[in-house]
Amino acid sequence: MDDSRRAAPGAASARPALRGALPPPALCGFLLLLAVVFAGSHAVGSLVGPVAPGMHSAPSGGAAEDDGSGGMGHGHGGRD
């Protein structure tokens, strides 16, 4: 037998352990694609701007406006 074709005993046993520690290539490709799509959508959203520029969040002190409904949901779904 030719001894030049044989690998060192330590190298053969280290390869399967390293191979099991790495994620599959399909998972790496999917995560890369996900990152590219997210970065692209973020860039497009930054260029387009806000969807509803006049919309403001409620102030930290309580409700935004008191419309006199008493907080009953404007008559939807229950008895008035």
Side-chain angles (χ1 to χ4, degrees), residues 34-51:
L34 189 67
V36 167
V37 168
F38 180 76
S41 66
H42 181 72
V44 169
S46 296
L47 290 174
V48 170
V51 176

Side-chain angles (χ1 to χ4, degrees), residues 49-79:
V51 176
M55 185 181 296
H56 301 289
S57 63
S60 60
E65 293 182 21
D66 187 15
D67 60 355
S69 66
M72 297 302 293
H74 303 285
H76 294 284
R79 296 183 186 174

